[in-house]
Structure formats: C-alpha cells, structure tokens
Amino acid sequence: MPLIQAPITGNEGFSDAEQSSAAPHLLHRVSVWVVVLYVVLSPPVLPIIGWSYNGGGGELEKIHPATYLLIALLPLTMIYDWRFRIQAMRLLLEPSFVLFIFASLATAAYAILVKQVSAAPFVDTFFSTILVATFTLALPRSAIEQLRTLIDFTILVNVVLIFIEFVTQRGFILGSNEGFGPMRWTGLLGLPLTAAQIFAVYSLITFISSPVRLSGPGPFRMFFSLLALVSCLLTGGRTSIALLVGLLALYVLLSTARQLLAGMVNWLGLIYGLVGLVIIAFSIPILVRIGVFDVLSARVEFDNGSSLARDTVVVILENLSADKLWFGIESVDALALQQSYGLIAIEIAWANFVLICGLIFTIPLFIAFCSFWFWLLAKYCEYSVLLVSFFTLAHTFAYNSIWSKTTVLAITVAIAVSNLRRDLPAAQAERRSLQLAE
C-alpha cells in the first residue's frame, strides 16, 4: 500500500469549478500558462526579450517574470474562486507546508538582512516553488491536465531543438564544452546542469506515470520518456543521468517484485518491458556510433575538478570554528575562503547554506525541505512521487543548485503534480492497479 494515504482534498468536488463562472475559468487558464513560463523563459531566453535576469538591469529584473505574475494571480484566484480558496487555505494549514514556508522565510531573512546576500536566489528558488505548489495542488483537475499537455509540448520542442543542435553542432542560444570535449547541448532550457535536471525529471515522471495500455497516450508517453533520456545524455549531466537510470531501474524492480509477491503478473507490462529491452539493445550501438554518449564520456573522463572541489568543501567545513559553523560567516569571507582553495564554486548546496546561514538555519531548512518533498507531495500525489523527491534531494548534494538562483524546483513540482496528483485519471488507474496487486 502507499506509504501515505490519500487525504480528502476536495479536488473531486471542485474539478468542474470552471463551469460556475467565467472569472475562475479564465484565472485557471492564465495560471497554467504562467506556470509554463518557467519552462519556456529560461535564464538565457529572458535577456533576448529584454529582461535582464542575470544582471545588468534593475533589481526587479533579477526575479523571473512568472513569479511576479503568480504573486498577482494568487489573491485574484482566491477572491473569484471560492473552491480554489478553500483548497489553498487547506494547503497553507498543512504542517509540512507551513514548516517549509517559515523555514524558507527565516533563512532568507537571516541571509539577506544579516549576511547581506542577494534576495533573488531565495525568491526564485523557494518562493516560486511555494507558489507553484499552491497553484498546482489547488487548481481543478481540468486545469492540471492542460498544464501537463503544455509541459509535454514544451519539453518535446526542446527535445527536437537539442537533437537539431547535436546534428548541426550549433546551439540556438548557448552550448558549453568547458574547454574540453564535445559541446553540451541545452535547447532553450538554460545551462547544461539545469537542462539535464529538467530532462531527467520529465523522463522519470513520464515513465512512472504512463498507464500500461495498448492504446491511448500511454505508449506515446513512454516514447517521450525515452526521448527525454537521450536528450539528458546530450547535456552531459552526470548526476542527473546516473540518478535517472538508477531510479528507473529501482522502479521497475519494485514493480516486478510487488507483482510476484502478489501472485499477479501484468502481462502487458511484461511485454512492454521485453520490447523496451530489445529497443535499448539495438539503440545503444547506434547511439554510440553517432556520438550521443561522447558528451557523457568526456564529462566522466575530464572531471574538471568537481569531485576534488566537493572534497575541499568538506575540509572547509571541518576547519570552521564552532561559532562560525553554527551562525555562518560573512559572504565576502566565504568568497575569499572559496578563492583561497582555488574553487570556481562550492558545489554542494547545503555547504553554502552552512557557510553563510550556519547550522542554526540550515538544519531547520533541510528538515522542512525534506518534509515538503517527502510528506506534502506524497500526501497529494501518488506514492511514486517519492522517487522524484529523492532525485531532487540528491541533486542538492551534487552541486550548488538551490543556493544559486534557479527555477528548477518550481519546474519539478509542476511536472510532478501535473502527472501524479491523486485525482488525475492516470494516477487513479495506477492506484487501482496497486490495489488489485495487493
């Protein structure tokens, strides 16, 4: 059985809320399109439309425009849609959500007011995630289904673009080879690590949420998952690829073990698995021949000091005094310390929080972060969302992710909830199959 039972969310009662009046219907649709803007308008795309997201403009431009729009939409939607208001208020009373919100605000206040760091990373990393979680968990089912369709389309456009970049060896916006090896392709999704994480999350979620059927969207979505996996290879994101392959294998093994223990075998799923193995066996030699694995192999061969940098971070933390370890050091001192060790960046997000905010804020934030991903989302989504939660948590130890300004967390929540929310047809079908197998 799922680790956490489904709550009475009220989704079933207001899934047709948009029929009641034009205002909620319009607000639902606009909210969905705004959430998709996080995927469409990546940091390299924003300067093209005149938004100086990476600096050079006003302070307000350092925040993603979608964040401003969601801030404006939240009170409007709560005013004009009483069903959304009830669900949003229920979410805001969830202990795990309250803990995450307060821990994020407290850490941000300490870092900004006391340590004098920029507010932009906290707003776009944590506040955007809170906003997207509120909308995706409180909007009616029809709006979430539209969100899933739009995300599918956006990701597939980027898959096509990244394949074109690979064939032409020319990036549409940027490509990076870090001074060695083949280029790392990103489509329109931003930096290689960001693109890798988005493709991996999409591939993982699409695979575990696709219904095993002969007809309908299931087979197509399985194919989309494979395309996203290949695209992830072209970004050269080692951590994303390793976690994706490992979690997919774990999911298949757990599903197989559950069926064997229950004495029931999903023969269609077994056929799908065998066909998939045949496709993989024939595809890998072709992909190797055309150079798809060259980016990844170059990243493995030329680590560029990433592993050594993480070891150095541990040394830095071990050498801090107890006072500095608990309350952090000044941001300029942290930068000087980083440069003294010859580090380009501190590639563990939580190490950055410890250095600046100290353990007194990092420990509560870590607990709240885990509570949000492993409790709140698991309560409102299918149990398989725990795989996505583990993927996200592991990434925070792989590079500076959530310490730097990123909207990847918000995008991950949008992809996960739009595929795995408990009241969605695909999620309900997965729950029924689990009940039959138990």
Side-chain angles (χ1 to χ4, degrees):
M1 293 181 65
L3 296 178
I4 301 172
Q5 295 295 324
I8 300 174
T9 63
N11 292 328
E12 297 80 0
F14 66 81
S15 60
D16 297 323
E18 69 277 3
Q19 297 176 5
S20 59
S21 67
H25 177 81
L26 178 61
L27 287 169
H28 298 161
R29 297 298 178 257
V30 172
S31 300
V32 163
W33 280 94
V34 171
V35 171
V36 175
L37 286 181
Y38 283 114
V39 186
V40 175
L41 299 178
S42 65
V45 173
L46 285 170
I48 296 176
I49 64 173
W51 192 272
S52 303
Y53 186 69
N54 295 317
E59 286 297 314
L60 293 178
E61 291 183 85
K62 293 180 180 179
I63 307 298
H64 199 287
T67 304
Y68 291 117
L69 292 173
L70 287 182
I71 292 172
L73 283 168
L74 182 59
L76 285 175
T77 311
M78 293 184 73
I79 290 170
Y80 287 101
D81 185 358
W82 64 270
R83 296 174 180 87
F84 177 88
R85 181 170 64 252
I86 291 173
Q87 181 65 356
M89 292 304 296
R90 182 182 288 119
L91 280 168
L92 293 175
L93 292 176
E94 288 281 355
S96 54
F97 205 18
V98 172
L99 178 62
F100 183 57
I101 292 170
F102 274 96
S104 300
L105 289 175
T107 306
Y110 182 74
I112 296 166
L113 299 178
V114 178
K115 300 300 182 177
Q116 302 297 308
V117 302
S118 173
F122 290 95
V123 174
D124 260 6
T125 300
F126 292 101
F127 195 43
S128 65
T129 302
I130 292 168
L131 287 168
V132 169
T134 302
F135 274 97
T136 55
L137 292 173
L139 283 172
R141 187 178 69 189
S142 58
I144 298 304
E145 289 174 337
Q146 183 189 32
L147 174 62
R148 181 181 59 199
T149 301
L150 290 173
I151 290 176
D152 285 344
F153 177 77
T154 304
I155 296 296
L156 288 175
V157 167
N158 278 280
V159 167
V160 172
L161 292 178
I162 205 170
F163 287 162
I164 294 174
E165 287 180 332
F166 172 68
V167 171
T168 61
Q169 290 294 294
R170 217 175 146 182
F172 285 94
I173 293 182
L174 57 87
S176 172
N177 66 358
E178 302 179 357
F180 60 85
M183 297 291 283
R184 303 173 65 182
W185 307 111
T186 64
L188 303 178
L189 293 179
L191 298 173
L193 290 177
T194 301
Q197 191 169 347
I198 293 173
F199 278 130
V201 163
Y202 179 81
S203 178
L204 176 63
I205 293 175
T206 303
F207 183 84
I208 64 180
S209 66
S210 298
V212 182
R213 298 170 184 163
L214 286 174
S215 59
F220 293 100
R221 292 181 62 77
M222 289 283 190
F223 182 63
F224 296 164
S225 177
L226 291 175
L227 289 178
L229 193 156
V230 176
S231 300
C232 190
L233 290 171
L234 292 173
T235 66
R238 295 168 298 174
T239 302
S240 293
I241 294 168
L243 287 171
L244 172 59
V245 173
L247 290 173
L248 285 176
L250 178 63
Y251 179 77
V252 171
L253 288 174
L254 290 177
S255 298
T256 304
R258 185 176 60 242
Q259 293 179 39
L260 292 175
L261 289 173
M264 298 179 63
V265 178
N266 186 331
W267 293 106
L268 184 57
L270 179 60
I271 293 171
Y272 268 29
L274 294 175
V275 171
L277 288 175
V278 172
I279 292 174
I280 291 172
F282 279 98
S283 299
I284 288 180
I286 297 174
L287 295 176
V288 170
R289 182 176 291 274
I290 64 177
V292 170
F293 288 95
D294 290 352
V295 182
L296 180 61
S297 61
R299 290 286 300 151
V300 172
E301 182 179 357
F302 301 99
D303 181 73
N304 201 28
S306 292
S307 299
L308 181 60
R310 294 184 182 96
D311 292 338
T312 305
V313 169
V314 175
V315 173
I316 291 175
L317 294 178
E318 288 177 343
N319 290 330
L320 286 180
S321 65
D323 181 63
K324 291 180 179 179
L325 197 60
W326 276 104
F327 296 98
I329 61 179
E330 298 300 323
S331 56
V332 291
D333 294 334
L335 180 60
L337 190 60
Q338 170 187 315
Q339 292 174 343
S340 69
Y341 281 90
L343 299 178
I344 299 174
I346 293 177
E347 299 186 34
I348 300 175
W350 298 110
N352 286 286
F353 281 106
V354 172
L355 277 176
I356 304 298
C357 304
L359 290 173
I360 195 169
F361 286 96
T362 303
I363 292 175
L365 181 64
F366 179 79
I367 294 172
F369 187 84
C370 293
S371 176
F372 173 81
W373 285 97
F374 289 94
W375 182 262
L376 182 74
L377 292 187
K379 185 174 181 180
Y380 286 87
C381 299
E382 286 304 305
Y383 84 101
S384 49
V385 77
L386 294 174
L387 294 175
V388 184
S389 300
F390 177 79
F391 177 95
T392 305
L393 179 64
H395 254 281
T396 63
F397 290 95
Y399 62 103
N400 57 1
S401 57
I402 61 172
W403 173 255
S404 58
K405 185 168 62 176
T406 179
T407 57
V408 168
L409 286 184
I411 293 171
T412 301
V413 170
I415 298 173
V417 177
S418 64
N419 284 278
L420 297 172
R421 207 173 79 174
R422 287 184 181 273
D423 63 326
L424 296 175
Q428 291 173 343
E430 180 184 355
R431 194 181 316 126
R432 283 195 296 269
S433 67
L434 280 174
Q435 291 170 350
L436 290 173
E438 291 169 349

